[in-house]
Amino acid sequence: MSDVKKKKLLIATANPGKFHEISEGLKDLDYEILGIADLGLKNEFVENGDSHEEIALKKAMYFHEQCGFITLADDSGIVVDALKTELGVKTRRWGAGEKASDEEWIKYFLNVMDKVSDEKRTARFVCCACILLENGDAHLFLRETTGKILRELRVPIKPGLPLSSLFIPDGYDKVYSELSTEDKHKISHRGKACTAVKDFLTKMMRGSC
């Protein structure tokens, strides 16, 4: 048995839903996957920026400076065609605000969407994953998934992922939260970004990138 220690990989999020999805997507990698709480890192990061790429990079840098390990941060949001530029990078801070509970946030969102006709409830989830290596090199992976917004929650909210209970990806008849972890990872915006990260880290370990 090898006594070589695994490299540490920090998933830089305090959102339990995101942490679960990302760690599940990367579990086959030969890394020790850690969270913010595992390392006792301070979390005073304020999300601000004009793009998912900018925010993901800033977040990765913030936590990387505290631990020095390979750091994975993501920024995601939803673009709802009927609401134009209202959400996107501001998704969780929009409407009821980032201090609102998942239930309060989604209630506000559904009230705003109430008068939007079924054919105009199209949307796309966007995710940018940023890997910051130990030497400070950053690599960004932007992915998206298109779909539509239902008029009410299909299933109970999973902590940190309120929109997943009413977003149906194109080509499916189930909302995100009804899908198995494996199926959601294959088609979701975050799953696609994590797959790109996993492929990159795998190649890096093999010395091919």
Side-chain angles (χ1 to χ4, degrees):
M1 180 182 292
S2 172
D3 59 357
V4 176
K5 291 184 178 180
K6 292 182 179 181
K7 282 194 171 185
K8 299 180 187 295
L9 171 61
L10 172 68
I11 298 177
T13 180
N15 182 313
K18 283 188 177 184
F19 183 86
H20 174 73
E21 289 189 351
I22 295 172
S23 58
E24 279 294 304
L26 302 180
K27 65 182 179 181
D28 294 332
L29 287 175
D30 194 25
Y31 285 84
E32 181 183 354
I33 296 177
L34 301 167
I36 295 171
D38 295 322
L39 298 174
L41 304 181
K42 66 178 182 179
N43 183 13
E44 299 174 358
F45 179 74
V46 178
E47 294 189 1
N48 62 80
D50 297 323
S51 68
H52 295 294
E53 296 95 326
E54 180 184 354
I55 296 173
L57 176 58
K58 286 181 176 179
K59 189 185 301 183
M61 292 175 64
Y62 174 85
F63 289 103
H64 183 269
E65 288 175 356
Q66 296 184 59
C67 68
F69 303 139
I70 296 174
T71 301
L72 170 60
D74 90 298
D75 187 69
S76 56
I78 193 168
V79 177
V80 179
D81 294 324
L83 301 181
K84 299 181 180 179
T85 60
E86 288 190 39
L87 291 109
V89 296
K90 300 173 289 187
T91 295
R92 198 59 181 87
R93 302 186 296 278
W94 174 87
E98 59 185 331
K99 293 184 178 180
S101 67
D102 290 338
E103 291 75 17
E104 290 168 339
W105 192 97
I106 210 70
K107 180 179 180 181
Y108 183 96
F109 175 75
L110 285 173
N111 284 338
V112 171
M113 291 289 292
D114 184 58
K115 295 182 180 180
V116 178
S117 62
D118 291 345
E119 62 271 16
K120 293 184 178 180
R121 299 176 75 86
T122 51
R124 57 188 170 91
F125 261 118
V126 181
C127 176
C128 179
C130 175
I131 274 284
L132 201 62
L133 302 181
E134 292 161 320
N135 64 3
D137 286 348
H139 301 267
L140 300 170
F141 304 90
L142 186 69
R143 300 292 187 271
E144 66 178 54
T145 297
T146 57
K148 65 179 181 180
I149 303 293
L150 297 181
R151 293 191 171 276
E152 59 184 23
L153 298 177
R154 177 76 65 82
V155 292
I157 293 173
K158 291 184 178 181
L161 304 171
L163 284 163
S164 290
S165 292
L166 48 70
F167 175 82
I168 294 188
D170 289 338
Y172 288 77
D173 60 2
K174 294 181 178 180
V175 296
Y176 265 176
S177 289
E178 289 180 294
L179 298 170
S180 67
T181 299
E182 182 179 356
D183 286 343
K184 185 180 180 184
H185 186 76
K186 290 177 181 177
I187 66 170
S188 75
H189 56 304
R190 187 171 299 108
K192 292 174 183 176
C194 285
T195 295
V197 167
K198 183 177 180 179
D199 290 345
F200 171 79
L201 290 175
T202 299
K203 290 179 181 178
M204 187 179 72
M205 291 178 71
R206 293 172 179 168
S208 56
C209 69

